[in-house]
Amino acid sequence: MAPNILRNIPSVSDLIDSPQLKGLIDRISHNVVVTGVRRTLDDLRKEVAGAAAEIVLPSISELAERIAGRILKSEVPHLRPVINATGILLHTGLGRAPLAQEAIDAMNSVAADYASVELDLTTGQRSQRVVVVEELLTQLTGAEAAVVVNNNAGATMLVLAALAADREVIVSRGQLIEIGGSFRLPDVMSTSGARLHEVGTTNKTHLADYEQAINDDTAALMRVHTSNYTVVGFTAEVSLEEMVALGRRHRLPVIDDIGSGAMIDFAKYGFANEPVAADSIKAGSDVVLFSGDKLLGGPQCGIIVGRRESLEKISSHPMMRALRVDKITLAALAATLRLYRDADKAEESIPLLQLLSTSLENLKNRAERMAPQIADAEAVAVAEVVEDVAYLGGGSIPTQQLPTYCISITPAHGGVDQLAAQLRAGEPAVVGRIQQDRLLLDLRSIPPRRDQDLVQAVGKTESGAEKRG
Ligand SMILES: *Cc1c(COP(=O)(O)O)cnc(C)c1O
């Protein structure tokens, strides 16, 4: 039975001559359309060959329509802007910190042209690509030198490889962190070639523990900020100052992984335990590492600041070449850092700080304004304003909560999962947070300029999403 039908399946050329696909060839490319046609015809052949009974073939026009739909769907970029309504400000899955306009402008201006990445325009000499940001980083942190790499995991790997390969690094058992599953300090350490020498216990580590562990093979003492957990109860940690004094006595560098890399004190936003890079340098750390896209609110990168002697070993290590950042990251980072020269300017311009400093009253007013508009959407039965808590995210501590207001949506038909899925797939994409049978849209992580886009995105959803597959 099947062979007859197989013969009736249209050819590639029949299809690409159809008006629907002709237009796409002009708009996209001949190759893309022909590949799309071949795939669909292959699927159709399999379907016919595998069918128990004879099936009715679609017409050429129906097939062309199906293929065009498939091609257009694949043309939507996978990486697109998202309205983050999760209330998690540094959502790693959503790219952590949004950038300041100044950083975006700086990226744009170097992207289209050649740029002075490794050329000093005053002298015409070759120079290191980091000099653009080195001066800003040393000014802001008080360090002697700086290096920028791909991310903080890369920074940790590089620092350990450059300062401690085949030797020991002493770390407290209470600081052997895992961040986001793929960053586990013991694994990073072994990959770098350094040997972990654990000291103390999970809850208590004393100076004597470090001191007794020092031997001829010791290369460094390391402190790691336990960004995403706290140990409570009977605890003891050695202060950075004590570690530095011990390191000095034994001529050992102290490496301080502060993680989120605040440039300013976050206590004013309710986060009392976020280490500030300048404080660590002031306490005498030889090398301080942190992320560029966490509390700093800049592009993804890993920043290493510290003493010139250690930084020279780090920047001349062969792994540096594999981890270096491009001109676009450097431009964005430099522009973000420039804003920090004036704390008020930073708060005005850096999106993360704007979101953190938005008053509760502002969030409440906006939620009250939007809720009735959202309630008008076909897919929405009820939209009400609720008070809740938001989180910093990005490997920060989940016990620290931010007060916030949300719009809580009860879907008209179908489940809350379907509504959430429609919003994720929409244009613009919206990611909210599901709480029992409600979808919460948290205003803490939404810049006000996106409010109307959010309302429109919900307006485009349809009830009974299950029927549309
Ligand atoms: C987040 C974090 C890292 C990993 O940084 P990435 O920029 O995600 O690579 C390493 N150490 C600490 C303490 C962190 O908080």
Side-chain angles (χ1 to χ4, degrees):
M1 43 138 200
N4 295 333
I5 305 182
L6 281 175
R7 231 176 286 128
N8 293 336
I9 290 179
S11 69
V12 173
S13 56
D14 290 340
L15 280 160
I16 60 176
D17 282 339
S18 69
Q20 293 101 320
L21 295 182
K22 259 204 164 117
L24 281 189
I25 289 177
D26 292 340
R27 259 182 54 204
I28 304 170
S29 99
H30 186 266
N31 247 339
V32 167
V33 175
V34 170
T35 307
V37 170
R38 292 223 168 94
R39 286 217 180 111
T40 304
L41 292 182
D42 282 348
D43 291 351
L44 188 59
R45 275 188 210 103
K46 276 185 211 138
E47 198 185 325
V48 168
E54 287 208 352
I55 57 172
V56 181
L57 285 180
S59 69
I60 291 191
S61 157
E62 276 166 349
L63 260 181
E65 201 60 52
R66 197 189 290 177
I67 296 164
R70 206 164 152 170
I71 292 171
L72 286 173
K73 204 167 164 193
S74 69
E75 282 297 298
V76 177
H78 284 276
L79 185 59
R80 49 193 188 104
V82 169
I83 296 181
N84 174 11
T86 63
I88 299 167
L89 291 175
L90 294 172
H91 197 301
T92 301
L94 299 179
R96 292 196 184 153
L99 295 176
Q101 190 56 47
E102 286 82 349
I104 296 162
D105 293 344
M107 286 162 75
N108 267 330
S109 74
V110 297
D113 278 297
Y114 295 100
S116 54
V117 175
E118 288 184 354
L119 182 71
D120 182 331
L121 294 177
T122 351
T123 62
Q125 302 289 306
R126 229 181 120 74
S127 76
Q128 280 299 317
R129 54 182 59 210
V130 72
V131 290
V132 247
V133 291
E134 184 174 30
E135 206 168 297
L136 285 160
L137 281 168
T138 52
Q139 265 176 28
L140 291 167
T141 63
E144 290 172 5
V147 167
V148 181
V149 294
N150 180 58
N151 58 17
N152 196 22
T156 311
M157 190 94 80
L158 173 65
V159 166
L160 293 170
L163 302 184
D166 296 322
R167 297 177 66 203
E168 288 183 3
V169 177
I170 302 176
V171 186
S172 160
R173 285 203 169 85
Q175 297 174 358
L176 297 177
I177 54 164
E178 169 179 308
I179 302 228
S182 55
F183 182 96
R184 305 180 106 191
L185 190 69
D187 299 344
V188 172
M189 187 137 346
S190 63
T191 308
S192 75
R195 289 199 305 275
L196 172 64
H197 189 141
E198 300 174 31
V199 294
T201 60
T202 308
N203 59 327
K204 284 195 178 192
T205 302
H206 305 284
L207 191 64
D209 295 325
Y210 287 92
E211 188 142 33
Q212 280 155 21
I214 294 174
N215 64 62
D216 289 346
D217 252 3
T218 307
L221 310 177
M222 183 170 185
R223 185 179 82 146
V224 185
H225 176 53
T226 55
S227 344
N228 58 3
Y229 67 96
T230 45
V231 181
V232 294
F234 292 100
T235 64
E237 256 195 347
V238 176
S239 73
L240 186 59
E241 287 78 2
E242 289 174 292
M243 282 179 72
V244 167
L246 180 65
R248 296 258 163 89
R249 283 206 295 282
H250 294 268
R251 304 180 57 80
L252 291 170
V254 172
I255 302 167
D256 190 16
D257 176 5
I258 61 171
S260 45
M263 284 286 129
I264 54 174
D265 191 352
F266 271 67
K268 65 190 280 199
Y269 303 119
F271 300 96
N273 296 318
E274 287 299 340
V276 177
D279 294 344
S280 178
I281 290 292
K282 203 165 159 201
S285 299
D286 292 85
V287 178
V288 181
L289 353 162
F290 51 97
S291 301
D293 54 353
K294 289 185 181 170
L295 296 184
L296 190 123
Q300 180 195 300
C301 60
I303 296 169
I304 309 170
V305 295
R307 286 189 199 289
R308 179 155 290 118
E309 191 195 338
S310 299
L311 274 271
E312 269 165 12
K313 287 185 198 149
I314 292 163
S315 60
S316 60
H317 189 275
M319 205 188 271
M320 178 66 208
R321 176 68 186 233
L323 294 171
R324 71 179 185 182
V325 293
D326 69 332
K327 62 176 179 177
I328 296 177
T329 302
L330 284 176
L333 178 60
T336 308
L337 291 171
R338 235 171 256 130
L339 297 169
Y340 277 104
R341 291 179 303 180
D342 175 347
D344 293 337
K345 180 91 184 128
E347 189 160 278
E348 266 167 41
S349 322
I350 293 174
L352 176 74
L353 304 184
Q354 290 170 343
L355 293 170
L356 276 170
S357 56
T358 306
S359 71
L360 256 188
E361 194 192 346
N362 173 297
L363 300 182
K364 186 174 184 220
N365 288 342
R366 285 161 54 206
E368 282 171 353
R369 197 173 331 125
M370 286 192 275
Q373 297 173 298
I374 283 179
D376 282 346
E378 191 193 323
V380 174
V382 184
E384 52 197 348
V385 176
V386 297
E387 206 173 345
D388 203 17
V389 287
Y391 297 93
L392 206 42
S396 67
I397 203 147
T399 51
Q400 281 182 316
Q401 304 176 334
L402 290 158
T404 190
Y405 276 92
C406 302
I407 297 163
S408 166
I409 300 179
T410 309
H413 301 285
V416 69
D417 291 331
Q418 283 159 8
L419 179 63
Q422 273 198 74
L423 282 169
R424 276 198 311 274
E427 180 58 49
V430 175
V431 181
R433 122 171 139 247
I434 293 174
Q435 209 162 76
Q436 280 139 15
D437 50 357
R438 306 282 176 85
L439 180 67
L440 297 191
L441 304 177
D442 190 327
L443 293 206
R444 178 57 74 186
S445 48
I446 303 174
R449 68 180 160 82
R450 295 296 257 162
D451 285 359
Q452 278 315 302
D453 299 330
L454 176 66
V455 169
Q456 277 166 20
V458 182
K460 284 187 211 162
T461 57
E462 292 164 36
S463 59
E466 64 280 358
K467 275 178 278 168
R468 319 176 71 238

